[in-house]
Amino acid sequence: MGALGSRIANMGQTLMQAAIRTGVAAGVSAAAAHIEEEHQKEAKERTDRRLHNTRLLLKNYRLLKQHTAGAIYNAKQAKEKESAASILDGLESYTRDDSLYIESIKRSQERTLIILAHIEKMLDLYRVWCQQNGTEEDVRRYEVVMETYIREPKKSVQEIAGTFGIERRTVYKDLNAAIQPLTALFFGIDAVKAA
């Protein structure tokens, strides 16, 4: 192999190394894009779960209230060693163990009282925000949430629409619009970061 053959071999080797570098760079770039996509997907799923949990908490507010009112274990016995945020984050991780059944009833009561107090406090903050910073529409949204989920007696969508002189579909729009800020209040900074 002469000088020409040696130069051709070196050029081939140089091209091969360049191709490998290009391939590795493309692979790293694709992996980074995939990881970022997965992070965004996880954040969206967390947001969707929190929005869903906010709706669930509001829809079941009256039932939770009855649960705590009728329970023998009461608010005076509840210890606030757990925060509402930690309870809300653990909504999906409840474990069942027959040997701890009685303790779990007591714990359930305790946790329900903490969550109800948290919901009530956050609804009050939402009311203040709507009155101070919001528009008349925001104030109405707060009232629609209260009439739909919190106040007694429970009213139908038609009754709520009549109370505020709005269409039925506006009631649903108001509820959907209120869910985002309520989720931020219920779940804190994590709900804001994920949105």
Side-chain angles (χ1 to χ4, degrees):
M1 186 192 263
L4 181 60
S6 182
R7 281 185 22 204
I8 291 173
N10 284 341
M11 282 178 37
Q13 206 171 27
T14 303
L15 287 173
M16 180 74 77
Q17 289 173 351
I20 290 171
R21 279 194 297 271
T22 302
V24 168
V28 168
S29 178
H34 177 72
I35 290 170
E36 180 59 29
E37 185 179 307
E38 287 298 312
H39 284 288
Q40 289 176 359
K41 182 179 172 185
E42 288 173 14
K44 184 182 180 339
E45 287 172 359
R46 265 193 316 276
T47 299
D48 291 348
R49 203 170 38 249
R50 286 190 171 127
L51 289 170
H52 172 77
N53 286 342
T54 298
R55 285 186 176 95
L56 217 58
L57 287 167
L58 289 170
K59 284 179 183 176
N60 289 293
Y61 177 85
R62 289 181 181 102
L63 182 63
L64 293 171
K65 206 61 167 162
Q66 288 174 355
H67 166 73
T68 58
I72 293 172
Y73 183 78
N74 65 36
K76 291 179 185 172
Q77 297 165 310
K79 299 174 195 136
E80 290 203 30
K81 55 187 165 188
E82 273 190 285
S83 71
S86 68
I87 295 169
L88 288 168
D89 280 343
L91 281 178
E92 298 167 5
S93 63
Y94 184 78
T95 58
R96 293 190 176 128
D97 181 350
D98 289 342
S99 65
L100 300 174
Y101 184 69
I102 299 301
E103 186 62 31
S104 73
I105 291 172
K106 180 179 169 186
R107 186 163 164 75
S108 171
Q109 177 71 15
E110 204 174 87
R111 293 165 61 102
T112 303
L113 287 167
I114 292 168
I115 291 299
L116 286 173
H118 180 70
I119 290 170
E120 290 163 2
K121 180 68 175 168
M122 296 305 106
L123 283 168
D124 194 45
L125 288 173
Y126 181 59
R127 176 189 58 78
V128 169
W129 178 83
C130 287
Q131 290 173 342
Q132 291 179 351
N133 302 322
T135 62
E136 286 181 31
E137 188 176 57
D138 287 324
V139 172
R140 185 190 69 226
R141 286 177 181 157
Y142 166 79
E143 292 297 329
V144 167
V145 167
M146 294 302 289
E147 292 297 329
T148 303
Y149 300 118
I150 309 299
R151 292 188 183 129
E152 295 288 349
K154 184 178 179 178
K155 292 182 181 176
S156 71
V157 172
Q158 191 63 44
E159 290 172 317
I160 294 168
T163 299
F164 296 102
I166 56 177
E167 299 288 324
R168 285 173 44 103
R169 67 178 178 227
T170 305
V171 171
Y172 293 114
K173 286 180 181 178
D174 283 352
L175 291 173
N176 285 332
I179 289 297
Q180 196 76 27
L182 285 171
T183 299
L185 288 169
F186 286 5
F187 292 95
I189 193 68
D190 289 337
V192 174
K193 286 193 299 190

